[in-house]
Coordinates of all heavy atoms in Angstrom, one line a residue:
M103 N -8.3 155.8 10.5 CA -9.5 156.4 11.1 C -10.1 155.5 12.1 O -10.9 155.9 12.9 CB -10.5 156.9 10.1 CG -10.0 158.0 9.2 SD -11.2 158.5 7.9 CE -12.6 159.1 8.8
N104 N -9.8 154.2 12.1 CA -10.2 153.3 13.1 C -9.2 153.3 14.3 O -8.1 153.0 14.1 CB -10.3 151.9 12.5 CG -10.7 150.9 13.6 OD1 -11.3 151.2 14.6 ND2 -10.3 149.6 13.3
Y105 N -9.7 153.8 15.4 CA -8.8 153.9 16.6 C -8.1 152.6 17.0 O -7.1 152.6 17.7 CB -9.5 154.6 17.7 CG -10.5 153.7 18.5 CD1 -10.1 153.0 19.6 CD2 -11.8 153.6 18.0 CE1 -11.0 152.2 20.3 CE2 -12.7 152.8 18.7 CZ -12.3 152.1 19.8 OH -13.2 151.3 20.4
K106 N -8.7 151.5 16.6 CA -8.2 150.2 16.9 C -7.2 149.7 15.8 O -6.6 148.6 15.9 CB -9.3 149.2 17.0 CG -10.2 149.4 18.2 CD -11.3 148.3 18.3 CE -12.2 148.5 19.5 NZ -13.2 147.5 19.6
G107 N -7.0 150.5 14.8 CA -6.1 150.1 13.7 C -4.6 150.2 14.1 O -4.2 150.5 15.2
S108 N -3.8 149.9 13.1 CA -2.3 149.9 13.3 C -1.6 150.6 12.2 O -2.1 150.6 11.0 CB -1.8 148.4 13.4 OG -2.4 147.7 14.5
S109 N -0.5 151.2 12.5 CA 0.2 151.9 11.4 C 0.8 150.9 10.5 O 1.0 149.7 10.8 CB 1.3 152.8 12.0 OG 2.3 152.0 12.6
I110 N 1.2 151.3 9.3 CA 1.9 150.4 8.3 C 3.2 150.0 8.9 O 3.6 148.8 8.7 CB 2.1 151.2 7.0 CG1 0.7 151.6 6.4 CG2 2.8 150.2 6.0 CD1 -0.2 150.4 6.1
D111 N 3.9 150.8 9.6 CA 5.2 150.4 10.2 C 4.9 149.3 11.2 O 5.7 148.3 11.3 CB 5.8 151.6 10.9 CG 6.5 152.6 10.0 OD1 6.7 152.2 8.8 OD2 6.7 153.7 10.4
E112 N 3.9 149.4 12.1 CA 3.5 148.4 13.0 C 3.2 147.0 12.4 O 3.6 146.0 12.8 CB 2.4 148.8 13.9 CG 2.8 150.0 14.9 CD 1.6 150.6 15.6 OE1 0.4 150.5 15.0 OE2 1.7 151.1 16.7
I113 N 2.4 147.1 11.3 CA 2.0 145.9 10.6 C 3.2 145.3 10.0 O 3.4 144.1 10.0 CB 1.0 146.3 9.5 CG1 -0.3 146.8 10.1 CG2 0.7 145.0 8.6 CD1 -1.3 147.4 9.2
A114 N 4.1 146.1 9.3 CA 5.3 145.6 8.7 C 6.2 144.9 9.7 O 7.0 144.0 9.3 CB 6.0 146.7 7.9
S115 N 6.3 145.4 10.9 CA 7.2 144.9 11.9 C 6.8 143.5 12.3 O 7.6 142.7 12.8 CB 7.3 145.8 13.1 OG 6.0 145.8 13.8
V116 N 5.5 143.2 12.2 CA 5.0 141.8 12.5 C 4.9 140.9 11.3 O 5.3 139.8 11.4 CB 3.5 142.0 13.2 CG1 3.0 140.6 13.4 CG2 3.6 142.8 14.5
L117 N 4.5 141.5 10.2 CA 4.4 140.7 9.0 C 5.7 141.0 8.1 O 5.8 142.1 7.6 CB 3.1 141.0 8.2 CG 1.8 140.8 9.0 CD1 0.6 141.2 8.1 CD2 1.7 139.4 9.5
N118 N 6.6 140.1 8.0 CA 7.8 140.3 7.3 C 7.6 140.1 5.8 O 8.2 139.2 5.2 CB 8.9 139.4 7.9 CG 10.3 139.8 7.4 OD1 10.6 140.9 7.1 ND2 11.1 138.8 7.3
Y119 N 6.8 141.0 5.2 CA 6.5 140.9 3.8 C 7.3 141.9 3.0 O 7.9 142.8 3.6 CB 5.0 141.2 3.5 CG 4.0 140.2 4.1 CD1 2.7 140.5 4.1 CD2 4.4 139.0 4.7 CE1 1.7 139.7 4.7 CE2 3.5 138.1 5.2 CZ 2.1 138.5 5.2 OH 1.2 137.6 5.7
K120 N 7.4 141.7 1.7 CA 8.0 142.7 0.8 C 7.3 144.0 1.0 O 6.1 144.0 1.0 CB 8.0 142.2 -0.6 CG 8.8 141.0 -1.0 CD 8.7 140.7 -2.5 CE 9.5 139.5 -2.9 NZ 9.4 139.2 -4.3
R121 N 8.0 145.1 1.1 CA 7.4 146.4 1.3 C 7.7 147.3 0.2 O 8.9 147.4 -0.2 CB 7.8 146.9 2.7 CG 7.1 148.2 3.1 CD 7.4 148.6 4.5 NE 6.8 149.8 4.9 CZ 6.9 150.3 6.1 NH1 7.7 149.8 7.0 NH2 6.2 151.5 6.4
F122 N 6.7 148.1 -0.2 CA 6.9 149.1 -1.3 C 6.2 150.4 -0.9 O 5.3 150.4 -0.1 CB 6.3 148.5 -2.6 CG 6.8 147.2 -3.0 CD1 6.2 146.0 -2.6 CD2 7.8 147.1 -3.9 CE1 6.7 144.8 -3.0 CE2 8.4 145.9 -4.3 CZ 7.8 144.7 -3.9
T123 N 6.7 151.4 -1.5 CA 6.2 152.8 -1.3 C 5.8 153.4 -2.6 O 6.7 153.4 -3.6 CB 7.2 153.7 -0.6 OG1 7.5 153.1 0.7 CG2 6.6 155.1 -0.4
L124 N 4.6 153.9 -2.8 CA 4.2 154.6 -3.9 C 4.6 156.1 -3.8 O 4.3 156.7 -2.8 CB 2.7 154.5 -4.1 CG 2.1 153.1 -4.4 CD1 0.6 153.1 -4.4 CD2 2.6 152.6 -5.7
E125 N 5.3 156.6 -4.7 CA 6.1 157.8 -4.5 C 5.4 159.1 -5.0 O 5.7 160.2 -4.6 CB 7.5 157.7 -5.1 CG 8.3 156.6 -4.5 CD 9.7 156.5 -5.2 OE1 9.9 157.2 -6.2 OE2 10.5 155.7 -4.8
Y126 N 4.4 158.9 -5.9 CA 3.8 160.1 -6.6 C 2.3 160.3 -6.3 O 1.6 159.4 -6.0 CB 4.1 159.9 -8.1 CG 5.5 159.8 -8.4 CD1 6.1 158.6 -8.7 CD2 6.3 161.0 -8.5 CE1 7.5 158.5 -9.0 CE2 7.7 160.9 -8.8 CZ 8.2 159.7 -9.0 OH 9.6 159.6 -9.3
N127 N 1.9 161.5 -6.4 CA 0.6 162.0 -6.2 C 0.0 162.3 -7.5 O 0.5 163.2 -8.2 CB 0.5 163.1 -5.2 CG -0.8 164.0 -5.4 OD1 -1.8 163.4 -5.5 ND2 -0.6 165.3 -5.4
Y128 N -1.1 161.6 -7.9 CA -1.8 161.9 -9.2 C -3.2 162.6 -9.0 O -3.7 163.0 -10.0 CB -2.0 160.6 -9.9 CG -0.8 159.9 -10.4 CD1 -0.1 159.0 -9.6 CD2 -0.2 160.2 -11.6 CE1 1.1 158.4 -10.0 CE2 0.9 159.6 -12.1 CZ 1.6 158.7 -11.2 OH 2.8 158.1 -11.7
R129 N -3.7 162.7 -7.8 CA -5.0 163.2 -7.6 C -5.0 164.7 -7.3 O -5.7 165.5 -7.9 CB -5.7 162.5 -6.4 CG -7.1 163.1 -6.1 CD -7.6 162.5 -4.8 NE -7.6 161.1 -4.8 CZ -7.5 160.3 -3.8 NH1 -7.4 160.8 -2.6 NH2 -7.5 158.9 -3.9
L130 N -4.2 165.1 -6.3 CA -4.2 166.4 -5.8 C -3.5 167.4 -6.7 O -2.3 167.3 -6.9 CB -3.7 166.5 -4.4 CG -4.2 165.5 -3.3 CD1 -3.5 165.7 -2.0 CD2 -5.7 165.7 -3.1
P131 N -4.2 168.5 -7.1 CA -3.4 169.6 -7.7 C -2.5 170.2 -6.7 O -2.8 170.1 -5.5 CB -4.5 170.5 -8.2 CG -5.7 170.2 -7.4 CD -5.6 168.7 -7.1
K132 N -1.5 170.9 -7.1 CA -0.6 171.5 -6.1 C -1.2 172.5 -5.2 O -0.8 172.6 -4.0 CB 0.6 172.2 -6.9 CG 1.5 171.2 -7.6 CD 2.7 171.9 -8.2 CE 3.6 170.8 -8.9 NZ 4.8 171.5 -9.6
S133 N -2.3 173.1 -5.7 CA -3.0 174.1 -4.9 C -3.6 173.4 -3.6 O -3.7 174.0 -2.5 CB -4.1 174.8 -5.7 OG -5.0 173.8 -6.3
I134 N -4.1 172.2 -3.8 CA -4.7 171.4 -2.6 C -3.5 170.7 -1.9 O -3.6 170.6 -0.6 CB -5.7 170.4 -3.1 CG1 -6.9 171.2 -3.7 CG2 -6.2 169.6 -1.9 CD1 -8.0 170.3 -4.3
A135 N -2.5 170.2 -2.6 CA -1.4 169.5 -2.0 C -0.7 170.4 -0.9 O -0.3 169.9 0.1 CB -0.5 169.0 -3.0
K136 N -0.6 171.7 -1.2 CA 0.1 172.6 -0.3 C -0.7 172.6 1.0 O -0.1 172.6 2.1 CB 0.1 174.0 -0.9 CG 1.1 174.1 -2.1 CD 1.0 175.5 -2.7 CE 1.9 175.6 -3.9 NZ 1.7 177.0 -4.6
V137 N -2.0 172.6 0.9 CA -2.8 172.7 2.1 C -2.8 171.3 2.9 O -2.6 171.3 4.1 CB -4.3 173.0 1.8 CG1 -5.2 172.9 3.0 CG2 -4.4 174.4 1.2
A138 N -2.9 170.2 2.1 CA -2.8 168.9 2.7 C -1.5 168.7 3.4 O -1.5 168.1 4.5 CB -3.0 167.8 1.6
Q139 N -0.4 169.2 2.9 CA 0.9 169.0 3.4 C 1.0 169.7 4.8 O 1.7 169.2 5.7 CB 1.9 169.6 2.5 CG 3.3 169.1 2.7 CD 3.6 167.8 1.9 OE1 3.2 167.6 0.9 NE2 4.3 166.9 2.6
Q140 N 0.2 170.7 5.0 CA 0.3 171.4 6.3 C -0.8 170.9 7.3 O -0.7 171.2 8.5 CB 0.1 172.9 6.1 CG 1.3 173.5 5.3 CD 1.2 175.1 5.2 OE1 0.1 175.6 5.1 NE2 2.3 175.7 5.2
L141 N -1.8 170.2 6.8 CA -2.8 169.6 7.7 C -2.3 168.4 8.4 O -2.7 168.1 9.5 CB -4.0 169.3 6.9 CG -5.0 170.4 6.4 CD1 -6.1 169.8 5.5 CD2 -5.6 171.1 7.6
Q142 N -1.3 167.7 7.8 CA -0.9 166.4 8.3 C 0.6 166.3 8.1 O 1.2 166.7 7.1 CB -1.7 165.3 7.6 CG -1.4 163.9 8.1 CD -1.9 163.7 9.5 OE1 -1.1 164.0 10.4 NE2 -3.1 163.1 9.7
D143 N 1.2 165.6 9.0 CA 2.7 165.3 9.0 C 2.8 164.0 8.2 O 2.6 162.9 8.7 CB 3.2 165.2 10.4 CG 4.7 164.9 10.3 OD1 5.4 165.2 9.3 OD2 5.3 164.3 11.3
I144 N 3.2 164.2 6.9 CA 3.3 163.0 6.0 C 4.7 162.9 5.5 O 5.4 163.9 5.3 CB 2.3 163.1 4.9 CG1 2.4 164.3 4.1 CG2 0.9 162.9 5.4 CD1 1.5 164.4 2.9
K145 N 5.1 161.7 5.3 CA 6.5 161.4 4.8 C 6.7 161.7 3.4 O 7.8 162.1 2.9 CB 6.8 159.9 5.1 CG 6.8 159.6 6.6 CD 7.2 158.1 6.8 CE 7.2 157.8 8.3 NZ 7.5 156.3 8.5
I146 N 5.6 161.5 2.5 CA 5.8 161.7 1.1 C 5.5 163.2 0.8 O 4.5 163.7 1.2 CB 4.8 160.8 0.4 CG1 5.1 159.3 0.6 CG2 4.8 161.1 -1.1 CD1 4.2 158.3 0.1
D147 N 6.4 163.8 0.0 CA 6.2 165.2 -0.4 C 5.2 165.2 -1.5 O 5.5 164.9 -2.7 CB 7.6 165.7 -0.8 CG 7.5 167.2 -1.1 OD1 6.4 167.8 -1.3 OD2 8.6 167.9 -1.1
L148 N 4.0 165.7 -1.2 CA 3.0 165.8 -2.2 C 3.2 166.8 -3.3 O 2.6 166.8 -4.4 CB 1.6 166.0 -1.6 CG 1.1 165.0 -0.6 CD1 -0.1 165.4 0.1 CD2 0.9 163.6 -1.3
L149 N 4.1 167.7 -3.1 CA 4.4 168.8 -4.0 C 5.5 168.4 -5.0 O 5.4 168.4 -6.2 CB 4.8 170.1 -3.3 CG 3.6 170.7 -2.5 CD1 4.1 171.8 -1.6 CD2 2.5 171.2 -3.4

């Protein structure tokens, strides 16, 4: 949300650190996840 920020990919390309991805969604019920999935282009399948 900070227009001066950087994507995780951009940060990772500069900082050669160990990288991990959290794969699961514990907050959103599927009823909301369906909507969130269409609001934004995200790599992780929330459903």
Side-chain angles (χ1 to χ4, degrees):
M103 292 175 66
N104 176 24
Y105 71 95
K106 294 182 179 179
S108 299
S109 70
I110 299 300
D111 287 343
E112 290 171 334
I113 296 168
S115 68
V116 175
L117 305 179
N118 190 29
Y119 296 169
K120 292 183 180 178
R121 187 171 179 182
F122 303 88
T123 299
L124 297 174
E125 298 177 356
Y126 299 99
N127 157 45
Y128 292 90
R129 177 190 305 152
L130 306 177
K132 289 182 180 179
S133 54
I134 297 177
K136 291 174 183 177
V137 174
Q139 201 84 41
Q140 294 187 326
L141 285 175
Q142 185 63 275
D143 181 22
I144 56 180
K145 296 180 180 179
I146 298 174
D147 189 339
L148 297 174
L149 293 171

